[in-house]
Every structure is written in structure tokens, then in C-alpha cells.
Amino acid sequence: MSLRIAQAKSPDFVGKEVKIRGWVYRLRKQKENAFVLVRDDRGGVIQCIFPATSVAGLTIESSIEVTGVISQDARAPEGGYELKGREVRTYNIAGADYPIGEYQSDELLLDKRHLSLRTRRMVAIAKIRASVLDLGRRWFVDNGWMEVTAPIIVKGAVEGGSTLFKLKYFDQEAYLSQSAQLYLEAMIFSLGPVWSITPSFRAEKSRTVRHLAEFSHLEAEAPWVTLEDILGVQEKLVSHVIQNTIKQNAEELAYLKRDVTDLKKIEPPFERLSYNKAIEILKSKGFTVTEQDGSKREIRVGDDLNIDSERELTKDAGKPIFVIGYPIAVKPFYVKEDPEHKGTGLAADLLAPKGFGEITSGGMREDDIVSITERIKKEGLDPAAYDWYLDLRKYGSVPHGGFGLGIERLMRWITNVDDIKDTVLFPRTMSRVAP
Ligand code: 4AD
Ligand code: MG
């Protein structure tokens, strides 16, 4: 039976013969001995020492099974254990032109992502990602929310028409879903608080370090809630995921050189900042916005926040900030208008500190059939595509709300990797659909 490398690196096996399986990660041949770093398929790495002759012909990424005796030596790389190889069985001798070496351009690593997934950096990121997803799921299950699955092929826009991916669906036109929200809204009337993680698609035409064309969307929706309830769920969820990820993945975060001192402080409550106050702050700092014709003017009430204004608002913050009460004009048709402040939406975005920017959007949903029909038309959308959605306002409407969290946005903050493309194993962007 073969052991995982992490298991074999234990005092229990010192002096004993073990078998490990893996791939040649680094290879250094000297006159008498060859030093082979072997990695396995869960990130384990150990140095194996062989007589040089017994590994002639071995190449980087060849798949092998090694039988040998574990010894402990403080000087050994990878944590003080090594394996004195007695026998090596080769499964596949890798081509000598393996394209991933120690120093590689980001572009090449992306072009060869099917192979660069084998680097320790990507393994660390994948492990953190698995924790983030698992912890998010667990939080909902433990708090009585029900998991559901919404369709990916849909007839209606949720987040505006300009980022829709069109699809020929038999003899009709359909789209790839931008958000499960409208379907989750349909579910809450019989299922109560629900959540899902589904891929969402956005034909984002800008190249940025925080936009993907396909991302993992964690969404939640519940009946009989207030905006404050929805914010409470988000701050608890985000804090839970972060606190446990930094515990479970301390090793991986250290490998990525992520100093987690700031993440340790992420606990509820998060600051609530009104949109109007946010604009005031930005104004007082002389913040400007660029008009379509390229001219600049002072930011004012009515403007949406962008990555630059979000960075300005959060650059000194230790914790995420909820910005609350955006003008309904800058938010989608479904955002509920505050009955006490006309023109203002009962909606909030959660901005991660230090300029990481928006990680969630959510709030209360417009539950009045007349207002929402008008808003759909105003957005230039066809109410016919929303007939079923409008039924939800016709038959037993209740106050309800929810939010959507971008897993990769959260990952980027937790890992502090430069580009969102590195938070997902096979990124999709405007210029990349392969591998
Ligand atoms: O802000 P968004 O567009 O809101 C919605 O889709 C709502 N319908 C969600 C809901 O209330 N159920 O998207 C939600 C989050 C954003 O805050 C961001 O974290 C992420 O999804 N996101 C993206 N992540 C990566 N690449 C993109 N192109 C993203 N667009 C949105
Ligand atoms: Mg948003």
C-alpha cells in the first residue's frame, strides 16, 4: 500500500520501508547520488535519494512509485524527512520539454493552466478555495438555510442587458444566467430561506483584475426579512469563512506570503456607511469622476461608486464596510425603493478593506407589482420575459431580500493574489476560454 507523502513524513515511519506515489518535481544528479523531489497529488513533497544510475532517464513530471526507507535529517529540505530509495517504478516518462519551470511569465502559466495547476502556488490556492466553499456551505446549512439549484439557461437579464451572453436555445434566444436571484425569489415562498452556489456569467468587456466572465456566485434569499437582517447574515458568513480559512489553511496562506494579521480582525459588526455620507467623504477628498467625453468633474449624489472610489473609501479601513442606500437609478430594477426616502434603494454593497472592493451586493426586493413593472420597462427590458417573476408580486408577495457574494472576489481578498484569474482553476475572461 502506498502512503501519502504527508503521512510518510512522521516519526512513526522513521527507519521503516514505505511506498509513495507521485511525480518528479525537481531533479538534481550528482556523480553518485540523485536527489529527486517527489510531489504527490495533495501537495506533499519529499526528497528521495537514489544511486544516480537507478534514475537515469527520469525527467521532470515523470510519474513514479518509490519504495524506500524514511529517515529523519534536520538538513533535509521539506521538513526534515527524506526517503532513501531502494526501488523506483516508472509509470510514465514525461516529455523532456515540460513547459513549466521555476520562472515563467503569467501569460504562459495561464496558457498552460492544465499543467501549472501542478505548481505549489496553485495547489495552495485550490486548497484555500475548497475551504472557502466548504465553510460557506456549512454556515448556511448550520443556520437552517436550504440549498437549492437554479437554472443556468434563462430568458431574462438580472444585472443589465450589456453583459449578457446570448445563446441559441433550439429555435429561441436564451442567455447564460448572471445571477440566480430571480429564481431564489420564486423559491422562498415555499422553501423559506434558501441559498445556492452556481456559476454566473458576465460578458465583461473590460480587462480588470477583479472581473471574470464566469464566476462562482454564492447567493441567498429569504422571506420576512429586513435590510438589517440581510446585512447581519453577510457579516456573520464572511467572518466565519475568514476566521476558519486562516486556521485551516495557515500553511497555504504562509506559502502565498499572505500576512493574515488584518484578517484575524474580521468579526461582526461591519461599519454601515450611508451612500450619501460616502459621497460626502469622497467630495471632501476632492474625488472626481470622468464623464463620457473624457472631462472631469467633482463626484456628486447620483453617481455610482467605482473601483477607485471604493478604494478611497476603504483604504484605511480594518474591516469591510457596508455602503447602504444607493440611488435606485444606479441599481437594477429589482431593488426596493425606500418608502421613506424616495429615489433611494434599500440596497447595500459590502466593500472589502484596503481597496479590494465590492464582494457582495444585496438588499430588499421591490415587492410592488406596479413599481417593479415600471422599473423593468425603464431599464429597457421586456416585461414579457419576466411574466413569471411578476407573478411572485401578484400572488402573496411578502417583504424579502437577499444578496450575492462573488467567491473569487472573496478569495482575492483572502489570498491577496494580484489577479482574480488566479483564484479560479480555469479562468474565463474576454480573451481566454481555454484551457
Ligand atoms: O453585484 P452583483 O452583480 O449582484 C447580483 O448579481 C445580485 N443579483 C446578487 C443577489 O442579490 N442575489 O454580483 C454579486 C457579486 C458582486 O458583489 C461580486 O462579488 C461578484 O458577484 N461579481 C463578480 N465576480 C467576478 N467577476 C465578475 N464579473 C463579477 N460580477 C459580479
Ligand atoms: Mg454589485
Side-chain angles (χ1 to χ4, degrees):
M1 198 194 71
S2 63
L3 295 176
R4 279 216 188 275
I5 289 176
Q7 287 175 302
K9 286 159 84 170
S10 136
D12 298 349
F13 288 106
V14 171
K16 299 213 173 103
E17 186 163 285
V18 301
K19 222 181 251 219
I20 58 154
R21 283 193 296 222
W23 290 262
V24 175
Y25 196 59
R26 301 258 182 278
L27 192 55
R28 190 159 51 89
K29 286 179 194 159
Q30 290 182 347
K31 241 198 200 136
E32 310 225 309
N33 287 324
F35 298 87
V36 185
L37 272 191
V38 177
R39 63 162 189 88
D40 72 6
D41 49 18
R42 242 340 122 67
V45 180
I46 193 166
Q47 171 162 277
C48 302
I49 304 163
F50 296 98
T53 49
S54 65
V55 295
L58 213 55
T59 49
I60 297 291
E61 285 305 312
S62 293
S63 42
I64 56 176
E65 182 177 80
V66 181
T67 310
V69 175
I70 295 284
S71 66
Q72 212 168 1
D73 181 344
R75 292 164 308 172
E78 307 299 334
Y81 291 93
E82 14 179 69
L83 202 155
K84 296 236 175 344
R86 181 172 68 72
E87 193 190 329
V88 54
R89 174 174 168 201
T90 308
Y91 283 80
N92 171 263
I93 292 286
D97 55 352
Y98 187 66
I100 313 291
E102 245 170 304
Y103 303 101
Q104 230 77 68
S105 76
D106 292 345
E107 270 316 287
L108 183 111
L109 291 172
L110 283 164
D111 290 343
K112 304 283 180 197
R113 189 46 86 69
H114 54 295
L115 299 175
S116 62
L117 283 187
R118 303 179 188 189
T119 59
R120 296 173 100 173
R121 180 168 185 273
M122 285 313 298
V123 171
I125 291 170
K127 285 185 172 178
I128 297 167
R129 189 179 159 93
S131 292
V132 167
L133 288 168
D134 179 49
L135 289 160
R137 292 189 169 107
R138 246 174 242 269
W139 188 90
F140 279 109
V141 171
D142 290 348
N143 285 279
W145 294 64
M146 180 168 161
E147 181 173 5
V148 293
T149 310
I152 298 301
I153 301 174
V154 299
K155 283 294 279 184
V158 188
E159 300 299 321
S162 68
T163 61
L164 279 174
F165 277 112
K166 277 201 192 101
L167 179 79
K168 194 175 167 294
Y169 187 74
F170 302 101
D171 52 1
Q172 319 182 34
E173 185 170 279
Y175 308 111
L176 293 179
S177 168
Q178 295 168 309
S179 160
Q181 181 194 320
L182 308 193
Y183 289 93
L184 301 193
E185 284 186 62
M187 295 174 190
I188 58 166
F189 295 88
S190 51
L191 305 179
V194 295
W195 64 279
S196 62
I197 300 180
T198 41
S200 278
F201 300 87
R202 308 279 171 101
E204 303 279 0
K205 284 163 199 101
S206 52
R207 268 173 240 257
T208 76
V209 296
R210 55 180 209 147
H211 287 94
L212 291 167
E214 176 178 350
F215 66 95
S216 294
H217 207 170
L218 170 57
E219 291 178 274
E221 196 73 26
W224 315 112
V225 289
T226 61
L227 179 61
E228 187 47 40
D229 294 334
I230 293 299
L231 304 186
V233 170
Q234 295 178 56
E235 62 191 2
K236 287 189 205 101
L237 167 73
V238 168
S239 303
H240 173 81
V241 170
I242 289 183
Q243 290 316 320
N244 288 287
T245 303
I246 61 179
K247 272 186 219 137
Q248 284 173 208
N249 296 99
E251 205 179 298
E252 287 76 24
L253 289 161
Y255 183 80
L256 298 175
K257 301 199 164 59
R258 172 56 155 128
D259 177 355
V260 297
T261 316
D262 56 334
L263 294 178
K264 284 191 182 147
K265 298 182 190 130
I266 307 304
E267 291 284 359
F270 299 166
E271 182 187 341
R272 278 99 170 121
L273 175 69
S274 78
Y275 163 87
N276 285 336
K277 184 86 208 294
I279 296 290
E280 239 174 68
I281 294 172
L282 293 167
K283 255 192 197 165
S284 74
K285 294 185 173 171
F287 212 81
T288 58
V289 295
T290 310
E291 297 274 26
Q292 296 226 308
D293 64 3
S295 62
K296 287 196 172 179
R297 63 161 173 82
E298 187 178 54
I299 194 164
R300 60 178 178 234
V301 170
D303 290 331
D304 201 358
L305 301 183
N306 61 18
I307 182 62
D308 299 320
S309 40
E310 288 175 5
R311 185 177 301 113
E312 184 63 35
L313 290 171
T314 61
K315 67 175 191 216
D316 302 320
K319 292 208 279 184
I321 298 175
F322 284 114
V323 176
I324 302 181
Y326 286 79
I328 52 169
V330 304
K331 286 287 177 193
F333 64 86
Y334 55 72
V335 168
K336 184 168 178 62
E337 188 170 19
D338 185 344
E340 276 152 39
H341 301 97
K342 287 282 170 206
T344 299
L346 289 172
D349 282 1
L350 182 62
L351 311 182
K354 309 271 169 346
F356 283 101
E358 179 193 322
I359 52 170
T360 79
S361 278
M364 300 299 291
R365 318 309 189 184
E366 185 53 72
D367 45 18
D368 176 73
I369 191 157
V370 178
S371 320
I372 200 160
T373 309
E374 263 170 36
R375 300 261 298 281
I376 287 172
K377 285 189 199 145
K378 232 186 194 167
E379 233 179 83
L381 301 168
D382 176 11
Y386 298 87
D387 53 354
W388 65 267
Y389 184 66
L390 294 172
D391 272 354
L392 308 178
R393 276 69 188 164
K394 194 170 161 194
Y395 303 112
S397 181
V398 298
H400 67 283
F403 68 94
L405 176 152
I407 292 290
E408 291 78 10
R409 294 274 182 94
L410 178 59
M411 275 290 295
R412 186 165 164 256
W413 173 29
I414 294 177
T415 59
N416 196 21
V417 297
D418 289 339
D419 194 320
I420 197 165
K421 290 200 281 297
D422 282 349
T423 65
V424 60
L425 304 187
F426 290 100
R428 295 290 177 258
T429 63
M430 194 175 143
S431 54
R432 187 172 292 282
V433 282

